[in-house]
């Protein structure tokens, strides 16, 4: 019998990793980075040598680092097999893995400065540029809806998950016990109310379903209400005279924020005359979205074309790209009147930390969170109301107004997760992953109450027969 083992993203939203073992092959579904504090850092440093020796193929659902970010380390530790993903995901991995290697290298360099002074053991980066290039050379892109036979007579088909460019629901046909069994992994299911992406594909047949549960305990606000709240915050920030900081992931969330700022600008409701996108990776991804327009929602593109030839940058004239470190540092001299979009989305790294250092202590500043903040991250601490934070060696008082706009989430909310699950006709066994315990429990109860589905919440290292 084939076996599925849960190696990550159980009881948490990051570190996605699942092992599939058949009589003829061992497959790794996802190999994601852990995010959120010292414990996550230790998990990312752990050796993958044994896993690299066992695995015949890697299958990725999409490019976000919590799903794909440790693949270059797996390669560094000896893996040389194929890495399957969609073409859109491969385009993003070329940007994201390279950027991650640079950021990790700088973080390690910074950390080692004080370690040398303290006579402590120096750290090595999790992976470096050459590991990324080797990993990219192993990638084999597969378009949506094309059946691919991979190692061990396993069938692989990708379906559009509607989350970010190239994001996929993974459908695997696995030989087990003399018959074929169908395993479906939702990946990250998109929010149908989000812009630019299509709605997630609804599948009808499976024996086992691994379903994400990030927002399993709540629904998002209606998008119209969210846009009105954003407009109100921006109007108040303009009246206060301070800066607006928007921590946003470079992939997906940044492009959605730019879209809505463009619509507000065209409607005459955006009074700020300076909007900065301060993230080289987000700039690259925004330009990639422009090149991959055929993969985006045509209705949203039509609205952009009315004001900017279908491109986010052209539809928002106040937008300025801050590509260099010097460009970024110049923004910190601006004390008010600017909207600054920078990564990372959970404030655990990237240029946003510099902008927070220069703005968090200002009472006229506003910080707008537009996505989920995982436990242990700086973003989560700010959302939870911390009064002081340490940033780049300095203690900073939190005087800025902190806002959370959950309606911008690129993840499906509870009711949307329930609708997706209800489409399956074969009454498959459900396993809830990618969620914090409260969200998982709430979704499990809702699945049973509304659809009679008995969902399992696996623990780390648990195994089930497929």
């Amino acid at each position: 019998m084939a076996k599925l083992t849960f190696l990550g993203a159980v009881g948490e939203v990051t570190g996605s990793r699942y092992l599939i073992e058949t009589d003829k092959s061992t497959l790794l579904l996802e190999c994601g980075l852990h995010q959120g504090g010292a414990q996550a850092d230790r998990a990312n440093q752990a050796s993958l040598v044994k896993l690299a020796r066992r695995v015949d193929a890697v299958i990725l659902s999409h490019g976000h680092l919590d799903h794909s970010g440790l693949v270059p380390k797996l390669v560094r530790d000896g893996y040389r097999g194929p890495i399957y993903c969609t073409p859109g995901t491969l385009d993003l991995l070329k940007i994201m893995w390279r950027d991650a290697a640079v950021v990790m290298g700088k973080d390690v360099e910074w950390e080692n400065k004080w370690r040398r002074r303290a006579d402590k053991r120096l750290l090595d980066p999790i992976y470096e540029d050459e590991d990324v290039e080797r990993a990219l050379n192993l990638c084999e892109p597969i378009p949506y809806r094309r059946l691919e036979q991979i190692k061990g007579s396993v069938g692989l088909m990708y379906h559009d998950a509607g989350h970010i460019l190239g994001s996929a629901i993974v459908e695997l046909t696995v030989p087990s016990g003399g018959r074929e069994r169908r395993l479906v992994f939702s990946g990250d299911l998109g929010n149908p109310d989000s812009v630019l992406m299509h709605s997630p594909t609804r599948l009808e047949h499976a024996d086992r379903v691994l379903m994400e549960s990030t927002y399993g305990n709540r629904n998002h606000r209606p998008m119209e209400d969210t846009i009105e709240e954003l407009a109100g915050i921006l109007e108040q920030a303009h009246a206060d005279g301070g800066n607006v900081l928007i921590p946003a992931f470079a992939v997906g969330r940044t492009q959605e924020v730019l879209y809505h700022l463009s619509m507000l600008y065209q409607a005459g409701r955006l009074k700020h005359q300076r909007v900065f996108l301060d993230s080289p990776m987000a700039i690259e991804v925004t330009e990639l979205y422009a090149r991959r327009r055929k993969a985006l929602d045509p209705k949203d593109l039509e609205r952009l074309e009315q004001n900017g030839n279908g491109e986010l940058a052209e539809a928002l004239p106040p937008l300025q790209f801050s590509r260099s470190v010097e460009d970024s540092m110049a923004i910190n001299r601006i004390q008010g009147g600017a909207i600054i979009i920078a990564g990372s989305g959970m404030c655990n790294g990237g240029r946003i930390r510099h902008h927070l250092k220069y703005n968090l202590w200002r009472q006229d500043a506003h910080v707008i969170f537009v996505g989920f903040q995982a436990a242990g991250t700086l973003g989560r601490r700010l959302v939870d109301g911390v009064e002081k934070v340490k940033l780049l060696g300095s203690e900073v008082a939190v005087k800025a107004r902190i806002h959370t706009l959950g309606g911008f989430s690129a993840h499906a909310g509870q009711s949307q997760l329930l609708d997706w699950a209800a489409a399956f006709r074969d009454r498959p066994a459900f396993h809830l992953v990618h969620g914090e315990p409260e969200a998982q429990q709430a979704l499990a109860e809702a699945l049973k109450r509304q659809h009679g589905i008995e969902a399992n919440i696996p623990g780390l290292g648990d195994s089930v027969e497929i």
Side-chain angles (χ1 to χ4, degrees):
M1 297 290 289
K3 184 172 70 170
L4 167 68
T5 304
F6 300 87
L7 299 180
V10 289
E12 60 174 330
V13 297
T14 69
S16 188
R17 194 187 306 170
Y18 314 98
L19 194 69
I20 300 168
E21 299 170 275
T22 76
D23 291 338
K24 298 180 180 180
S25 64
T26 299
L27 311 176
L28 188 63
L29 176 59
E30 313 277 72
C31 191
L33 200 69
H34 299 268
Q35 297 168 320
Q39 185 175 351
D41 292 340
R42 288 191 294 272
N44 292 330
Q45 291 283 353
S47 173
L48 297 178
V49 171
K50 290 183 179 179
L51 189 62
R53 290 172 180 166
R54 293 180 62 192
V55 171
D56 297 302
V58 174
I59 302 163
L60 300 178
S61 68
H62 66 287
H64 274 151
L65 293 182
D66 60 322
H67 290 255
S68 72
L70 280 185
V71 171
K73 176 172 172 55
L74 188 73
V75 171
R76 182 186 182 100
D77 286 354
Y79 179 72
R80 294 295 182 269
I83 300 166
Y84 296 106
C85 60
T86 67
T89 292
L90 179 54
D91 284 343
L92 288 176
L93 293 177
K94 293 174 182 177
I95 298 171
M96 299 181 73
W97 284 350
R98 288 167 178 162
D99 179 83
V102 171
V103 171
M104 289 174 185
K106 290 180 179 178
D107 288 347
V108 167
E109 183 180 353
W110 179 270
E111 177 78 8
N112 282 342
K113 284 182 179 180
W114 75 262
R115 284 179 170 267
R116 285 190 182 93
R117 292 194 294 267
D119 197 27
K120 292 191 173 184
R121 182 180 64 84
L122 300 183
L123 300 179
D124 292 322
I126 297 174
Y127 51 80
E128 299 176 285
D129 293 341
E130 54 266 34
D131 306 309
V132 168
E133 297 310 313
R134 279 198 294 265
L136 289 172
N137 288 332
L138 296 173
C139 287
E140 298 186 16
I142 301 173
Y144 292 135
R145 301 290 301 166
R146 190 180 87 187
L147 180 62
E148 188 81 7
Q149 292 295 321
I150 64 175
K151 184 75 172 180
S153 302
V154 173
L156 167 62
M157 183 179 289
Y158 284 124
H159 306 269
D160 194 344
H163 178 57
I164 60 171
L165 181 68
S167 62
I169 298 163
V170 180
E171 181 180 2
L172 294 171
T173 306
V174 181
S176 179
R179 54 170 293 194
E180 287 191 340
R181 306 283 287 180
R182 189 168 298 180
L183 173 67
V184 171
F185 173 47
S186 69
D188 282 350
L189 291 174
N191 179 356
D193 292 336
S194 296
V195 295
L196 300 177
M197 296 293 105
H198 299 98
S199 294
T201 305
R202 290 162 63 92
L203 303 185
E204 296 182 348
H205 302 290
D207 295 292
R208 289 194 183 273
V209 177
L210 277 65
M211 187 169 76
E212 68 122 320
S213 53
T214 309
Y215 287 97
N217 57 343
R218 59 193 186 276
N219 288 314
H220 306 308
R221 292 184 65 193
M223 186 56 69
E224 290 183 5
D225 295 348
T226 300
I227 299 304
E228 284 303 311
E229 185 177 359
L230 172 63
I233 294 170
L234 296 178
E235 289 172 4
Q236 184 61 54
H238 184 265
D240 292 344
N243 290 325
V244 177
L245 307 185
I246 305 179
F249 288 112
V251 181
R253 199 63 45 82
T254 290
Q255 291 70 43
E256 186 175 4
V257 169
L258 289 176
Y259 177 93
H260 290 297
L261 290 178
S262 300
M263 295 300 106
L264 290 175
Y265 177 86
Q266 300 302 333
R269 302 186 64 186
L270 185 65
K271 298 179 181 179
H272 293 77
Q273 295 304 306
R274 290 179 292 187
V275 180
F276 296 96
L277 179 53
D278 186 23
S279 165
M281 183 167 69
I283 293 168
E284 278 193 80
V285 173
T286 300
E287 293 170 340
L288 172 61
Y289 269 55
R291 296 194 301 272
R292 297 293 299 256
R293 291 174 60 210
K294 290 184 179 180
L296 306 180
D297 189 302
K299 299 188 297 297
D300 296 327
L301 287 178
E302 185 177 348
R303 294 184 68 189
L304 283 175
E305 285 170 355
Q306 294 172 3
N307 302 297
N309 197 29
E311 293 191 19
L312 292 166
E314 293 185 13
L316 184 59
L319 178 64
Q320 300 177 46
F321 287 163
S322 300
R323 297 181 188 271
S324 69
V325 173
E326 291 74 20
D327 291 339
S328 180
M329 292 173 65
I331 299 172
N332 288 327
R333 295 194 287 269
I334 300 172
Q335 298 186 12
I339 298 174
I340 305 163
I341 306 166
S344 68
M346 297 185 192
C347 304
N348 264 21
R351 294 181 179 181
I352 192 64
R353 294 175 71 88
H354 293 270
H355 299 307
L356 289 169
K357 179 178 179 179
Y358 283 91
N359 289 275
L360 266 183
W361 55 273
R362 302 178 187 273
Q363 291 184 338
D364 57 5
H366 293 251
V367 182
I368 305 175
F369 286 98
V370 293
F372 185 84
Q373 303 300 307
T377 61
L378 175 58
R380 180 65 163 263
R381 292 168 59 207
L382 290 171
V383 167
D384 288 345
V386 67
E387 295 182 355
K388 292 182 180 180
V389 296
K390 193 169 185 179
L391 283 165
L392 306 174
S394 300
E395 192 172 73
V396 180
V398 182
K399 300 294 184 182
R401 295 275 301 277
I402 309 296
H403 310 270
T404 301
L405 295 181
F408 277 129
S409 177
H411 286 263
Q414 186 194 67
S415 62
Q416 295 158 340
L417 290 169
L418 292 171
D419 287 343
W420 185 81
F424 288 95
R425 297 180 177 180
D426 306 323
R427 300 194 66 80
F430 275 77
H431 305 276
L432 302 185
V433 295
H434 273 278
E436 294 181 349
E438 295 174 1
Q440 291 183 314
Q441 190 60 46
L443 182 59
E445 293 172 0
L447 285 167
K448 183 176 181 179
R449 181 173 62 252
Q450 295 192 27
H451 302 304
I453 295 173
E454 294 277 358
N456 168 255
I457 301 176
L460 187 65
D462 286 355
S463 295
V464 295
E465 291 183 353
I466 298 177

